């Protein structure tokens, strides 16, 4: 059964959050994510639908329109939230795809739920898409959807984008269901990754796990009449113009000044903003800062570190442990180095509005992005977009996708604590002239490669690939007919 929509986005979550109004009724508010901003204009232009989970277990609400986008909720039971989402997505795939920083769990019941839920998303997308529509599937929670969709709807043009890294084969090989995952993804026409290295890892996995002819990002499927799937990098970005504008607002600038005042106007403000996740290297960052305080490189009267750690995946075991470790570490640092007047680390386990985030970015002399592995890291790009004053220094882990683009940041290996300490000191002592030169170059890069360009280039590549493949298959059919 075909639906009405020319463009269907399929993502684990809908682009809206349910809000309880004071009168007890519920309404939907756009969630702040970058994906929503990137796709909203395209969705409105193209008559788009968005398929995703509404965020609460139980029967799904009826489809509804929110801010010009048709939202089609997919339901998940309590048990499925545990097995498909917290289990297979965040307890198996997330650690496996992030260099096994913690040990992935392999449980057949989790996998079975993942297959079942992916079927449900594929079914919902198939129902919404009109004949020949484009369906764009997002992220690691839904890797089986492209194949499931193609089985139901061979007329569709199917794209997939992986927001997190794709691991080297030697790590991916641990996954008991590795062939099924590769086959699931290969249902797409185009598979997008953050970095060229991720696309290469995937192409290699196709060769090694599934014995498929695959090179230069092209995987040929002889069992499907020689259909070719393309794998390539499309580094995601942010809405540069919107953040640039926000950070120039007088109220936001005033708030940034107020934040510095409230901190006691220290000479240096350092900032970390992350979901509280073990991939983000928060403990490594704290260790480097603690050692700098220990050995006198930094003095508590002169420098404060603000660490925003947004609550995340709070029912997954490793996240509970991480929170404890971070809080013990912050407590120790403040206990040892704090004074009545000065706090070394301002640890904030909250989520903030966009304005407050922009003010924090503007207030920070040094932004610390120390991820151990990160698909892209949008926070690094957001910091750059907020610094219209061309001040501030970005310290950036080489293990982020952003490092491929942001060469003028101070690059660090977060495992090398001495190297990290040196980079922090260098950032604190950098001349305004050098910092300005670096920031201008970073801003040019992010300004030219914003999220709108990301979405447009992926969708264009998908359309081009689909057209070429269609021509090839017509030619092959003609050849078969004439022989
Ligand atoms: C995944 C990949 C990839 C955070 N706290 C608050 C808040 N945020 C916003 C940030 C940023 C976003 O959330 C986080 O994006 P990141 O890219 O930093 O990291 P993940 O959440 O791990 O995202 C990542 C991304 O997908 C996109 O493809 O880059 O590698 O892991 O935008 O600003 N926003 C607000 N309040 C908060 O408290 N408003």
């Amino acid at each position: 059964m075909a639906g009405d929509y020319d463009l269907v986005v399929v993502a684990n979550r809908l682009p809206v959050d349910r809000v309880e109004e004071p009168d007890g009724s519920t309404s939907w508010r756009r969630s702040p994510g970058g994906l929503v901003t990137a796709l909203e204009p395209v969705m409105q232009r193209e008559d788009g639908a968005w398929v995703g989970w509404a965020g609460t277990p139980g029967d799904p609400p009826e489809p509804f329109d929110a801010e010009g986008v048709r939202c089609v909720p997919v339901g998940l039971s309590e048990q499925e939230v545990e097995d498909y989402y917290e289990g297979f997505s965040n307890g198996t795939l997330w650690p496996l795809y992030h260099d096994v920083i913690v040990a992935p769990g392999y449980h057949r019941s989790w996998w079975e739920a993942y297959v079942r839920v992916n079927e449900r998303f594929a079914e919902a997308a198939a129902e919404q898409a009109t004949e020949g529509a484009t369906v764009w599937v997002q992220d690691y929670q839904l890797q089986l959807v492209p194949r499931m969709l193609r089985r139901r709807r061979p007329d569709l043009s199917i794209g997939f984008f992986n927001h997190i890294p794709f691991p080297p084969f030697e790590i991916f090989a641990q996954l008991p269901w590795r062939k099924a995952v590769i086959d699931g993804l290969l249902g797409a026409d185009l598979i997008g990754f953050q970095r060229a290295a991720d696309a290469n890892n995937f192409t290699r996995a196709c060769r090694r796990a599934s014995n498929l002819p695959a090179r230069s990002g092209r995987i040929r499927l002889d069992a499907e009449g020689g259909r070719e799937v393309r794998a390539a990098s499309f580094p995601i970005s942010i809405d540069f113009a919107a953040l640039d504008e926000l950070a120039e607002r007088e109220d936001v600038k005033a708030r940034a000044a107020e934040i510095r005042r409230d901190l006691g106007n220290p000479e240096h403000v350092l900032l970390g903003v992350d979901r509280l996740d073990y991939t983000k290297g928060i403990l490594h960052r704290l260790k480097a800062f603690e050692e700098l305080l220990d050995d006198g490189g930094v003095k508590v009267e002169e420098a404060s570190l603000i660490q925003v750690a947004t609550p995340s995946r709070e029912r997954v075991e490793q996240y509970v442990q991480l929170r404890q470790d971070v809080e013990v570490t912050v407590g120790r640092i403040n206990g040892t180095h704090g004074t009545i007047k000065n706090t070394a680390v301002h640890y904030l386990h909250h989520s903030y509005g966009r304005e407050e985030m922009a003010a924090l970015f503007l207030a920070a002399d040094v932004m610390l992005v120390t991820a151990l592995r990160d698909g892209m890291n949008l926070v690094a790009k957001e910091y750059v977009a907020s610094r219209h004053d061309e001040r501030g220094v970005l310290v950036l882990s080489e293990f982020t996708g952003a490092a491929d683009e942001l060469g003028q940041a101070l690059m660090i290996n977060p495992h090398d604590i001495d190297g990290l300490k040196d980079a922090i000191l260098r950032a604190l002592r950098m001349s305004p002239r050098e910092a300005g030169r670096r920031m201008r170059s970073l801003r040019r890069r992010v300004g030219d490669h914003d999220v709108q360009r990301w979405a447009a280039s992926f969708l264009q590549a998908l359309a081009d690939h689909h057209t070429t493949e269609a021509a090839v298959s017509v030619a092959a059919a003609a050849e078969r007919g004439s022989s």
Side-chain angles (χ1 to χ4, degrees), residues 17 60 83 143 145 158 170 310 342 377 387 403 425 433 467:
D17 292 320
D83 293 345
Q143 292 174 101
V145 170
I158 304 172
E170 288 67 18
T310 313
N342 302 103
N377 195 291
R387 297 317 299 246
L425 288 177
R433 195 184 150 94
T467 312

Side-chain angles (χ1 to χ4, degrees), residues 118-173:
N118 271 244
E119 283 283 6
R120 196 172 306 147
F121 276 81
E123 184 75 52
E127 279 174 13
Q128 300 304 320
T130 188
E131 181 72 23
T134 296
V135 180
W136 192 1
V137 184
Q138 308 289 329
D139 229 358
Y140 63 103
Q141 302 93 347
L142 301 175
Q143 292 174 101
L144 308 180
V145 170
R147 172 64 67 199
M148 293 166 168
L149 202 50
R150 182 171 291 277
R151 274 202 204 105
R152 291 176 167 80
R153 296 288 305 275
D155 59 298
L156 299 175
S157 177
I158 304 172
F160 180 90
F161 186 78
N162 201 48
H163 290 255
I164 67 174
F166 195 88
F169 181 67
E170 288 67 18
I171 291 180
F172 181 68

Side-chain angles (χ1 to χ4, degrees), residues 40-61:
E40 202 172 38
V42 203
M43 298 286 280
Q44 286 165 356
R45 199 169 60 232
E46 300 267 343
D47 211 357
W50 190 305
V51 173
W53 179 44
T56 34
D59 288 338

